[in-house]
Amino acid sequence: MTATAEGTNAGGATAPVVEMVGLRKSFGDREVLKGIDLTVTPGEVVCIIGPSGSGKSTLLRCVNQLEEATGGTVTVLGTEITDPDVDIDAVRQRVGMVFQQFNLFTHQTVLENCTVAQRKVLRRSKAEAEEVAMRNLAHVGLADRAPAHPSHLSGGQQQRVAIARALSMDPQLMLFDEPTSALDPELVGDVLSVMRALAERGMTMLVVTHEMAFAREVADRVVFMDDGQIVEQGAPAQVIGAPQHERTQAFLERVLDPTHQHPGTA
Ligand SMILES: Nc1ncnc2c1ncn2[C@@H]1O[C@H](COP(=O)(O)OP(=O)(O)OP(=O)(O)O)[C@@H](O)[C@H]1O
Ligand SMILES: [Mg+2]
């Protein structure tokens, strides 16, 4: 991997892509992130797992300030975004985000969906934006659907367009929030394959997922969250294969065998 200027410090060591220190977030008097310390290094794929309501989406949204932290610091690509004077748009340009709902523009073609932000934000010419978009549509296996409208695509194809659209901005970090959980089961595999290929090409990725097989295979590190805190993190074989904490064990029993009734949840 080539270290960029902002990714390298004076000593030559590689700086983190994301660094959260004591991150807190409250909605009203309800604290949903209770002091998160998390570092993501260049090229690393970190999967976040945990029960519904544990704060996974909120944590991800604090990386591009879709949610504002109420305490602690978040530094992204060398810029402290919790600094009140931050130019957040400059940081957001370098961070791609893919949500459960793909949010494509329905009145535009697939190609237009992938070029509009390039032209508006990065000020690329039509020709250059289209070239970049076509390259990324090819990466997700959808170059032939460039002239189509999103409504003529399956959910899985639409999600792959959303990934191509994000990649067309040349992000240095990709955030995924349960990108496959709104899809029919038979469409999940193609989206995960695209994400796996992206990871193999060295993209730094922070992924909230319920796909334990994907996390196990692709993640460099798995982070288990519960009740606004990181309970346990480590290599996938460790966290998913041999969880140390009782809360991690209970969660994994529920996801890996949904018919299993844990005492107290019946
Ligand atoms: N805008 C908001 N206003 C008030 N409360 C919120 C808001 N967004 C999230 N919350 C609350 O914060 C907590 C954490 O929510 P979050 O969406 O981060 O959980 P999650 O781990 O992503 O859950 P899921 O797996 O269901 O997506 C929840 O209790 C949720 O109700
Ligand atoms: Mg969520």
Side-chain angles (χ1 to χ4, degrees):
M1 164 192 348
T2 327
T4 53
E6 54 279 321
T8 310
N9 67 22
T14 315
V17 177
V18 179
E19 188 168 29
M20 299 174 167
V21 180
L23 169 62
R24 292 179 178 275
K25 174 66 185 176
S26 298
F27 293 108
D29 54 12
R30 184 144 187 260
E31 192 169 56
V32 302
L33 295 178
K34 302 177 178 175
I36 301 280
D37 296 318
L38 181 68
T39 301
V40 182
T41 59
E44 201 177 18
V45 177
V46 175
C47 285
I48 302 174
I49 62 172
S52 181
S54 56
K56 306 179 299 294
S57 295
T58 306
L59 182 150
L60 210 62
R61 291 163 62 83
C62 284
V63 176
N64 55 4
Q65 223 186 70
L66 291 178
E67 298 293 354
E68 241 176 280
T70 42
T73 61
V74 179
T75 303
V76 179
L77 295 159
T79 302
E80 192 203 313
I81 65 163
T82 35
D83 179 338
D85 295 327
V86 72
D87 176 3
I88 191 64
D89 290 337
V91 178
R92 283 186 184 143
Q93 272 181 35
R94 300 193 286 156
V95 179
M97 182 149 187
V98 175
F99 302 89
Q100 185 175 342
Q101 301 302 338
F102 343 117
N103 305 316
L104 298 175
F105 293 118
T106 50
H107 61 285
Q108 294 180 341
T109 65
V110 163
L111 184 63
E112 285 163 350
N113 267 280
C114 295
T115 54
V116 62
Q118 293 190 66
R119 301 201 59 199
K120 270 198 188 146
V121 179
L122 302 180
R123 308 245 164 245
R124 286 180 179 157
S125 69
K126 185 163 187 274
E128 186 188 3
E130 289 184 351
E131 188 194 318
V132 171
M134 288 307 296
R135 189 169 68 230
N136 285 302
L137 285 168
H139 276 316
V140 304
L142 289 172
D144 60 327
R145 305 314 303 273
H149 276 79
S151 59
H152 294 163
L153 270 54
S154 73
Q157 290 172 329
Q158 290 186 50
Q159 189 59 297
R160 281 146 62 199
V161 172
I163 294 172
R165 174 181 59 181
L167 292 176
S168 293
M169 299 298 283
D170 296 333
Q172 289 170 273
L173 166 67
M174 284 287 289
L175 308 175
F176 292 89
D177 192 354
E178 297 194 34
T180 60
S181 56
L183 301 178
D184 291 338
E186 73 271 21
L187 303 177
V188 168
D190 286 341
V191 173
L192 294 180
S193 300
V194 163
M195 292 170 65
R196 188 181 298 116
L198 192 57
E200 281 164 5
R201 293 207 304 275
M203 178 61 76
T204 309
M205 294 164 56
L206 192 50
V207 184
V208 174
T209 186
H210 287 303
E211 298 287 340
M212 292 304 135
F214 173 84
R216 223 180 152 129
E217 184 200 343
V218 179
D220 296 302
R221 184 152 45 101
V222 173
V223 172
F224 173 69
M225 276 183 78
D226 193 13
D227 193 26
Q229 289 170 312
I230 293 176
V231 174
E232 174 164 0
Q233 61 175 308
Q238 180 196 322
V239 176
I240 299 175
Q244 297 302 300
H245 201 287
E246 186 272 330
R247 283 195 278 173
T248 321
Q249 292 164 3
F251 169 75
L252 286 167
E253 274 169 19
R254 284 201 303 277
V255 264
L256 298 175
D257 177 10
T259 60
H260 178 90
Q261 299 262 303
H262 193 72
T265 61

